[in-house]
């Protein structure tokens, strides 16, 4: 995708003129009569995301008019609307060239592992001079990684396979890599073990460390790696289970964020913790009302075996706090309730630090990767009381489910540690330009921008 959808030189490329209806008249004054006539005859008014191709006598396209939209994803629809050829943007104005290039490239994304690639390699955009090529390339790789991992079905992306994918992704860097499983997991990370023990591919905790030689800050990234969520004994109905290969979306985001940090060599010391499990059903599966141990020592009563994500995150988040990092950030496809509250396209963020939350929100806006804050509303902590254990995983009420899930996680964050929790869908229900149905990065560019700002 990268190799073919951008071109280096602009000698023979066709200009694309970005315009709005208000500047179209002025723009046309500088064009030859035949172009003005063509525009007129096609009643082209530069409506948002509309296109007009101008041919010469031989039928070759010599210039393109594109009606500007106010979203950078328009460059994905532009890519979907121009015929094969090499193009350049004539005048960028104040458009973010990095995001424009990124979204152009994402129009070419296909999940081709099982179906082969449709060849669309004849279309390219000349790199604009102000684009930060390394950033764009890394972002394309990061988003592609997230989508590919989520789209890979559970039969092939088992907890074991996820660990392999993680090591392959970080292979170009100097890292420490550890996978904890078996008895060591059972002893050290009992909640991760409990959730994953019924599955054929055994549960594990993947622990990666990387550091820039001049690290200014330390950060721990955690991602929910439920490779398939059947619900467990509290089994999901089939409509609810259908897409649950995506329940490792948080892990995919955590890995991609770590990849971006390493690839662009941010001056950070980094720890990536991925609890990888399958929430399966078997004779040894956890039961409702089981009381389990966590790494922190708190006992948890299982309110519903389908609330598995918070259990594995509890152990991973507690461990993430142990080095006292400047920031702990986690990604999880944690609750249906967050989707009821904000819909599928707007991830919820929770944080114990208002300033960080505000900064992340602003970074999301800047990157056109929107997020929305939700409260760690303390009075709802009462819903997580259990009469038999330190904590219930769900409590009895389902009201405010995204908040109670976040409050559950907060029990495992050590005092004084800055924490941001992202509850997202990680999936497009329908295709729009550059965003095909299936796995999607949601909050990746926002968090990467936010973290880049921390070390500026
Ligand atoms: N992975 C699901 C949450 C989910 C469902 C995210 C659909 C996005 C789309 C999670 O493990 C889950 O099943 N949560 C339950 C929790 C409940 C049992 C307390 C939920 O949200 O219904
Ligand atoms: Mn579940
Ligand atoms: Zn889940």
């Amino acid at each position: 995708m990268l190799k073919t959808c951008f071109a280096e030189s602009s000698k023979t490329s066709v200009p694309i003129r970005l315009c709005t209806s208000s500047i179209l008249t002025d723009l046309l004054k500088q064009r030859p009569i035949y172009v003005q006539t063509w525009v007129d005859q096609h009643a082209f008014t530069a409506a948002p995301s509309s296109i007009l191709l101008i041919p010469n006598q031989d039928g070759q396209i010599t210039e393109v008019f594109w009606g500007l939209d106010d979203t950078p994803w328009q460059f994905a629809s532009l890519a979907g609307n121009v015929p094969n050829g090499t193009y350049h943007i004539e005048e960028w104005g104040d458009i973010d060239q990095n995001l424009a290039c990124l979204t152009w490239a994402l129009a070419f994304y296909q999940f081709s592992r099982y179906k082969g690639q449709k060849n669309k390699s004849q279309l390219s955009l000349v790199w604009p001079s102000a684009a930060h090529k390394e950033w764009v390339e890394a972002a394309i790789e990061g988003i592609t990684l997230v989508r590919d991992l989520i789209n890979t079905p559970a039969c092939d992306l088992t907890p074991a396979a996820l660990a392999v994918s993680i090591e392959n992704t970080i292979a170009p860097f100097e890292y420490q890599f550890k996978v904890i499983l078996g008895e060591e997991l059972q002893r050290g990370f009992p909640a991760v073990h409990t959730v994953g023990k019924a599955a054929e591919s055994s549960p594990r905790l993947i622990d990666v460390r990387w550091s820039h030689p001049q690290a200014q800050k330390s950060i721990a990234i955690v991602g929910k790696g439920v490779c398939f969520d059947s619900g467990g004994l509290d089994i999901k109905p089939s409509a609810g289970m259908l897409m649950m290969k995506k329940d490792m979306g948080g892990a995919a985001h955590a890995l991609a964020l770590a990849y971006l940090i390493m690839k662009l060599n941010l001056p950070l010391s980094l720890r990536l913790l991925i609890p990888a499990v399958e929430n399966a059903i078997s004779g040894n599966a956890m039961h409702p009302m089981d009381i389990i141990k966590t790494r922190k020592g708190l006992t948890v009563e299982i309110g519903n075996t389908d609330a598995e994500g918070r259990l594995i995150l509890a152990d991973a988040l507690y461990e993430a706090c142990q080095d006292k990092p400047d920031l702990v950030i986690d990604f999880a496809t944690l609750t249906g309730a967050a989707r009821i509250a904000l819909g599928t396209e707007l991830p919820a963020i929770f944080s114990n630090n208002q300033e960080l939350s505000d900064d992340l929100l602003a970074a999301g806006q800047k990157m056109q990767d929107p997020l929305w804050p939700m409260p760690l509303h303390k009075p709802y902590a009462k819903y997580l009381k259990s009469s038999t254990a330190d904590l219930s995983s769900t409590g009895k009420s389902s009201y405010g489910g995204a908040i109670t899930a976040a409050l559950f996680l907060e029990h495992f964050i050590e005092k004084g540690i800055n924490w941001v929790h992202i509850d997202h869908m990680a999936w497009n229900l329908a295709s729009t330009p550059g965003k095909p149905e299936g796995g999607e990065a949601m909050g990746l560019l926002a968090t990467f921008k936010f973290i880049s700002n921390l070390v500026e």
Side-chain angles (χ1 to χ4, degrees):
M1 171 160 85
L2 259 183
K3 284 193 192 80
T4 55
C5 75
F6 292 111
E8 292 297 338
S9 100
S10 74
K11 283 226 171 73
T12 58
S13 59
V14 176
I16 296 176
R17 306 185 196 284
L18 307 178
C19 48
T20 55
S21 43
S22 58
I23 66 161
L24 183 62
T25 325
D26 279 349
L27 195 74
L28 285 173
K29 281 183 192 147
Q30 293 147 36
R31 307 306 309 141
I33 288 289
Y34 84 92
V35 172
Q36 296 178 20
T37 310
W38 189 269
V39 168
D40 208 39
Q41 292 211 314
H42 287 82
F44 178 76
T45 59
S49 292
S50 64
I51 193 165
L52 187 67
L53 309 171
I54 314 280
N56 64 13
Q57 283 180 328
D58 302 327
Q60 281 159 342
I61 290 159
T62 55
E63 57 189 286
V64 174
F65 288 79
W66 175 254
L68 271 177
D69 212 324
D70 52 9
T71 130
W73 286 93
Q74 67 186 303
F75 286 86
S77 38
L78 177 59
N81 277 286
V82 282
N84 285 344
T86 302
Y87 299 86
H88 67 269
I89 303 295
E90 189 64 24
E91 189 66 61
W92 279 95
D94 56 5
I95 287 169
D96 184 322
Q97 299 184 15
N98 290 337
L99 286 179
C101 288
L102 173 62
T103 51
W104 167 275
L106 289 173
F108 300 86
Y109 173 81
Q110 284 172 41
F111 180 56
S112 53
R113 177 165 167 180
Y114 301 87
K115 214 181 169 187
Q117 191 97 19
K118 273 189 274 143
N119 206 351
K120 222 200 169 186
S121 59
Q122 305 298 311
L123 176 55
S124 56
L125 182 70
V126 173
W127 280 108
S129 53
H132 179 355
K133 238 173 118 171
E134 290 70 30
W135 184 93
V136 174
E137 290 177 352
I140 296 168
E141 287 167 359
I143 293 174
T144 301
L145 174 67
V146 168
R147 292 177 175 183
D148 284 350
L149 281 174
I150 295 173
N151 287 334
T152 303
C155 57
D156 286 331
L157 198 81
T158 58
L162 180 56
V164 173
S165 285
I166 291 171
E167 195 169 17
N168 288 342
T169 302
I170 61 174
F173 311 103
E174 259 187 50
Y175 61 88
Q176 285 170 269
F177 179 85
K178 206 166 100 185
V179 179
I180 300 164
L181 75 178
E183 262 181 35
E184 197 188 345
L185 187 80
Q186 188 168 2
R187 253 183 289 114
F189 297 87
V192 180
H193 174 260
T194 299
V195 173
K197 66 186 174 175
E200 171 85 19
S201 178
S202 41
R204 61 205 70 206
L205 182 79
I206 301 142
D207 184 354
V208 176
R209 288 172 191 270
W210 173 88
S211 190
H212 186 284
Q214 279 98 40
Q216 298 166 15
K217 293 219 159 111
S218 56
I219 153 166
I221 308 172
V222 177
K224 172 177 171 181
V226 175
C227 292
F228 193 78
D229 183 8
S230 69
L233 291 179
D234 287 310
I235 191 169
K236 286 180 184 293
S238 41
M241 200 191 296
L242 183 63
M243 291 182 309
M244 281 301 138
K245 68 173 182 181
K246 81 174 173 78
D247 215 20
M248 35 52 69
H253 281 73
L255 174 61
L257 180 58
Y259 175 80
L260 290 177
I261 290 169
M262 293 187 269
K263 182 81 181 182
L264 292 172
N265 207 17
L266 295 194
L268 284 169
S269 119
L270 175 70
R271 190 168 185 203
L272 172 68
L273 284 164
I274 306 284
V277 301
E278 179 182 339
N279 189 16
I281 297 170
S282 181
N284 65 341
M286 62 174 163
H287 315 88
M289 285 199 172
D290 274 0
I291 296 174
I292 69 163
K293 274 232 171 68
T294 58
R295 181 165 183 77
K296 185 175 177 180
L298 291 177
T299 55
V300 174
E301 181 182 14
I302 306 299
N304 185 314
T305 63
D306 199 8
E308 82 297 338
R310 62 195 74 186
L311 301 174
I312 65 172
L313 290 173
D315 278 358
L317 285 171
Y318 180 71
E319 177 58 21
C321 291
Q322 297 314 306
D323 298 338
K324 306 236 172 302
D326 296 303
L327 173 68
V328 173
I329 180 161
D330 78 77
F331 297 88
T333 50
L334 198 63
T335 66
R339 306 288 67 80
I340 301 296
L342 298 176
T344 58
E345 295 170 24
L346 196 54
I349 55 173
F350 295 85
S351 181
N352 57 7
N353 181 320
Q354 185 66 44
E355 202 183 321
L356 290 179
S357 174
D358 293 346
D359 290 351
L360 175 55
L361 199 69
Q365 256 152 19
K366 183 133 180 57
M367 301 316 287
Q368 304 271 347
D369 184 21
L371 308 159
W372 203 255
M374 285 182 74
L376 288 164
H377 187 58
K378 297 288 176 294
Y380 291 172
K382 60 178 177 270
Y383 293 132
L384 295 172
K385 284 200 174 124
S386 159
S387 53
T388 51
D390 294 328
L391 211 57
S392 163
S393 65
T394 60
K396 292 194 179 87
S397 160
S398 62
Y399 288 119
I403 298 174
T404 51
L407 287 170
F408 179 87
L409 297 181
E410 198 182 15
H411 277 99
F412 300 88
I413 300 295
E414 296 277 72
K415 246 201 152 108
I417 301 283
N418 293 312
W419 169 57
V420 177
H421 159 56
I422 299 179
D423 187 341
H424 58 177
M425 179 70 172
W427 187 270
N428 297 322
L429 289 175
S431 299
T432 54
K435 293 170 175 273
E437 182 183 339
E440 184 60 285
M442 296 185 176
L444 177 64
L445 296 178
T447 48
F448 184 59
K449 174 75 181 161
F450 162 69
I451 289 166
S452 305
N453 290 345
L454 290 179
V455 290
E456 231 171 26

